[in-house]
Amino acid sequence: MAKHQTPMLDELTKGPWPSFVDDIKAEAARRAANKDGVEYQIPVDVCDDLLGILELAYKDKETHWKHGGIVGVFGYGGGVIGRYCDVPQQFPGVAHFHTVRLNQPGGKFYTTEYLRDIMKIWDMRGSGLTNMHGSTGDIVLLGTFTEQLEEIFYEMTHKLNTDLGGSGSNLRTPAECMGMSRCEYACYDTMALCYALTNEYQDELHRPAFPYKFKFKFDGCPNGCVAALARSDLSFVGTWKGAIKVDQKAVAAYVAGELKPNAGAHAGRDWGKFDIMKEVVNLCPTQCMSYDGKTLSINDKECYRCMHCINTMPVALKVGDEKGLCMLAGAKAPILDGAQMSSLLVPFLPVEEPFDEIKEVVENIWEWWMEEGKNRERLGETLKRLGFGKILEVTGITPDARHVQHPRENPYIFWSAEEVGGWDRDIKEYRKRHAR
Amino acid sequence: MALDMATAQKTILDFLEGKAKSKTKFYFNDFCDLFPDEKSRDVKKVLTELVKGEKIVYWSSGSTTMYGLKGLGKHADGEE
């Protein structure tokens, strides 16, 4: 028998999709049964009370969570998000319901043993509910009490070598695709760069001093498996210089049906014979490809790296040999409105340890944004407000055609006095050459 | 110009105490305004020391972080 009647929440369990209500009920039953004999440090009925307070919020049509708080672990300004309910007598199990963010392992590689060890701590000291993973990439632990926070922090760091992630006006937990560890498309070692910058910027991650949140994301190639371009203030996307490498024999094998397109990823249905013109050449967004029945040609200067041809024929087409990354700035994906993609900032950088060139760009941007950014203003908003030219100026990057999104949209270029050798001129000298 | 840690800490605490009746939480930028000639990273070091010394605390909404004097402001039961 459930602790609280939840008729409205129960409606959510009737559809065809998995329901979070079912999941929370399952966890409530598991905690009540306690087959593993866990010594629960927070109320055993936390999950029941979570459902209860949500049902009440649906009934009242207003939230019963209070906003924010001072909770955290000593010395850290992020990693814990305080949440308290305003009806603690009615729902004591969720009087506190703080979220703990953990910095996920690189590429989200972990063993089942590691996950079980996290859950041993979390079952005992928290609700047992998790979000794997939060949109930032963290392992998110949902719901614990203030007095458990230092204990959780100690055990996660000392037993599992796992730090808290970022929240608030911090550098958020950097996230990367699995990169070269599994993927042939990766143009740089995303895990190495993410690890290096995470270590380098620990202070920014744990002690907030930015105008607002700041996100790094690392995609190994333009396929963008962590969607860096769409949601990180600074996006690192793998790319290459020069030509896509074409193996004409393998192209012929795809055309003859000897190799499955997309590495067989869509082979569950009969799509008919592979048609290279229809499925590759004519889909090229810049129309830079042609196929004469024998040879596939690519005008690489026109390619803007949509990756479609390479994804479709991965045996025949490979990314070029000179690999590196491009940096883009200013993306954000807020919940309500104002979503914005990143703008190209550094067209190409080789990726070499100790990544000094990258760090220099990052630090110049931060220095500027910390001075100029308004409270609760993302980098992309500061960019829009002050102009893209400003970020080029502070990073010392020479403007070039690739920074211009719509070349003919706005013909006015605002030159500074330094760029044109000053505005003053000798009018007498001028009049010698030009009559009034 | 390098910040003198003790003087800067006093400036910040005086500022917070002076405002305590009307406001208890402040953005990082508010402290930078107290030291217009200093780099924001140096101001951050002073605030970090004050947090370590338990004079001030972080307040977080989850998306934004603010700073305030320890013990001031409305607290939920259980907030430290």
Side-chain angles (χ1 to χ4, degrees):
Chain A
M1 181 68 185
K3 183 178 174 188
H4 305 287
Q5 294 302 304
T6 55
M8 280 188 276
L9 286 180
D10 293 345
E11 287 296 315
L12 299 177
T13 67
K14 293 176 183 171
W17 303 103
S19 163
F20 72 95
V21 177
D22 281 332
D23 285 351
I24 298 174
K25 282 185 175 178
E27 181 62 11
R30 202 179 67 86
R31 282 178 77 87
N34 195 12
K35 283 185 183 166
D36 298 328
V38 178
E39 290 181 31
Y40 294 127
Q41 300 297 303
I42 72 165
V44 64
D45 52 2
V46 49
C47 297
D48 297 281
D49 279 355
L50 178 64
L51 290 168
I53 197 172
L54 188 56
E55 180 77 16
L56 182 65
Y58 279 24
K59 183 167 165 267
D60 295 347
K61 295 186 177 170
E62 59 185 9
T63 185
H64 286 283
W65 296 119
K66 292 197 262 188
H67 189 66
I70 297 172
V71 288
V73 296
F74 184 67
Y76 274 33
V80 176
I81 298 142
R83 187 177 291 116
Y84 302 89
C85 83
D86 60 9
V87 277
Q89 284 79 26
Q90 206 174 338
F91 303 104
V94 291
H96 305 187
F97 198 73
H98 310 318
T99 293
V100 180
R101 287 190 184 159
L102 300 180
N103 192 332
Q104 78 284 2
K108 301 194 180 78
F109 281 108
Y110 31 57
T111 60
T112 46
E113 185 187 10
Y114 174 78
L115 292 177
R116 285 181 201 288
D117 286 344
I118 285 181
M119 288 315 298
K120 269 184 202 161
I121 298 169
W122 187 237
D123 271 339
M124 179 178 163
R125 301 197 178 278
S127 71
L129 299 171
T130 66
N131 176 7
M132 301 288 285
H133 294 252
S135 55
T136 306
D138 308 278
I139 295 170
V140 181
L141 308 178
L142 296 162
T144 191
F145 276 59
T146 303
E147 54 273 21
Q148 296 303 317
L149 293 171
E150 291 289 351
E151 307 284 346
I152 291 166
F153 178 54
Y154 184 89
E155 292 187 12
M156 290 295 174
T157 47
H158 289 74
K159 292 182 181 170
L160 299 185
N161 220 4
T162 294
D163 200 358
L164 296 188
S167 68
S169 308
N170 286 27
L171 171 64
R172 300 302 183 84
T173 318
E176 79 280 56
C177 72
M178 55 178 65
M180 287 177 168
S181 64
R182 293 286 305 251
C183 180
E184 64 189 89
Y185 300 149
C187 297
Y188 71 98
D189 189 343
T190 52
M191 291 168 70
L193 180 58
C194 183
Y195 183 71
L197 295 194
T198 303
N199 281 337
E200 179 80 15
Y201 298 124
Q202 280 288 295
D203 195 55
E204 283 72 14
L205 221 162
H206 298 307
R207 283 169 277 282
F210 289 151
Y212 202 22
K213 63 179 87 164
F214 194 96
K215 298 179 182 180
F216 286 154
K217 292 197 191 296
F218 306 88
D219 275 317
C221 79
N223 273 327
C225 290
V226 292
L229 273 165
R231 58 204 186 115
S232 58
D233 299 85
L234 213 46
S235 325
F236 302 80
V237 183
T239 188
W240 65 91
K241 278 185 179 177
I244 294 172
K245 292 185 287 183
V246 185
D247 177 346
Q248 298 293 352
K249 280 186 186 169
V251 173
Y254 277 107
V255 174
E258 293 157 20
L259 290 170
K260 288 181 180 172
N262 292 93
H266 306 298
R269 193 173 139 188
D270 182 12
W271 296 91
K273 192 172 181 300
F274 175 64
D275 182 340
I276 191 170
M277 292 305 291
K278 186 179 162 196
E279 295 179 44
V280 179
V281 174
N282 292 344
L283 290 180
C284 175
T286 60
Q287 300 178 337
C288 71
M289 305 182 88
S290 61
Y291 183 65
D292 63 5
K294 282 184 183 172
T295 307
L296 180 72
S297 308
I298 304 174
N299 179 7
D300 286 276
K301 280 189 176 173
E302 295 298 320
C303 168
Y304 62 43
R305 291 152 179 62
C306 80
M307 295 293 288
H308 177 74
C309 61
I310 297 174
N311 290 337
T312 310
M313 303 193 295
V315 181
L317 304 176
K318 307 271 184 202
V319 301
D321 281 330
E322 195 181 345
K323 297 171 186 169
L325 59 73
C326 51
M327 291 172 71
L328 303 95
K332 61 197 175 86
I335 298 168
L336 294 176
D337 62 0
Q340 187 171 300
M341 297 283 278
S342 279
S343 301
L344 182 70
L345 179 64
V346 183
F348 188 86
L349 267 182
V351 185
E352 288 157 1
E353 291 193 50
F355 313 116
D356 285 341
E357 278 184 276
I358 292 170
K359 289 174 190 169
E360 192 183 333
V361 176
V362 169
E363 286 165 24
N364 282 334
I365 290 174
W366 279 347
E367 199 164 306
W368 170 66
W369 181 56
M370 286 169 79
E371 296 288 335
E372 300 291 338
K374 292 182 178 178
N375 295 324
R376 297 177 61 80
E377 184 176 67
R378 292 283 291 269
L379 177 67
E381 290 160 328
T382 314
L383 273 179
K384 286 268 175 187
R385 183 165 58 82
L386 299 177
F388 195 78
K390 194 68 193 169
I391 198 169
L392 291 175
E393 188 186 316
V394 298
T395 50
I397 294 167
T398 310
D400 81 21
R402 289 166 293 186
H403 292 124
V404 181
Q405 196 168 17
H406 300 290
R408 293 174 194 278
E409 193 171 85
N410 183 348
Y412 297 101
I413 296 169
F414 296 98
W415 302 99
S416 66
E418 301 80 58
E419 286 169 312
V420 295
W423 300 120
D424 297 330
R425 61 182 176 176
D426 186 339
I427 194 67
K428 284 181 183 166
E429 278 299 311
Y430 179 82
R431 287 293 165 222
K432 283 180 190 170
R433 302 191 305 277
H434 303 274
R436 187 175 281 275
Chain B
M1 191 178 81
L3 267 178
D4 175 64
M5 182 60 80
T7 317
Q9 286 189 5
K10 188 172 180 310
T11 307
I12 288 173
L13 291 175
D14 288 348
F15 167 76
L16 288 171
E17 280 158 13
K19 296 267 186 180
K21 279 186 183 168
S22 57
K23 205 174 170 191
T24 57
K25 300 178 189 77
F26 295 85
Y27 287 110
F28 177 73
N29 277 350
D30 298 329
F31 300 104
C32 292
D33 293 344
L34 298 176
F35 308 98
D37 300 329
E38 302 296 336
K39 293 258 180 203
S40 48
R41 277 172 184 256
D42 293 326
V43 178
K44 178 180 178 175
K45 284 177 192 161
V46 181
L47 286 166
T48 301
E49 282 306 307
L50 284 168
V51 170
K52 281 189 200 164
E54 301 191 52
K55 300 276 178 28
I56 64 173
V57 289
Y58 295 113
W59 182 94
S60 175
S61 69
S63 65
T64 312
T65 311
M66 301 177 89
Y67 298 77
L69 277 175
K70 187 172 179 164
L72 277 193
K74 287 183 182 175
H75 287 228
D77 184 30
E79 262 185 289
E80 288 179 335

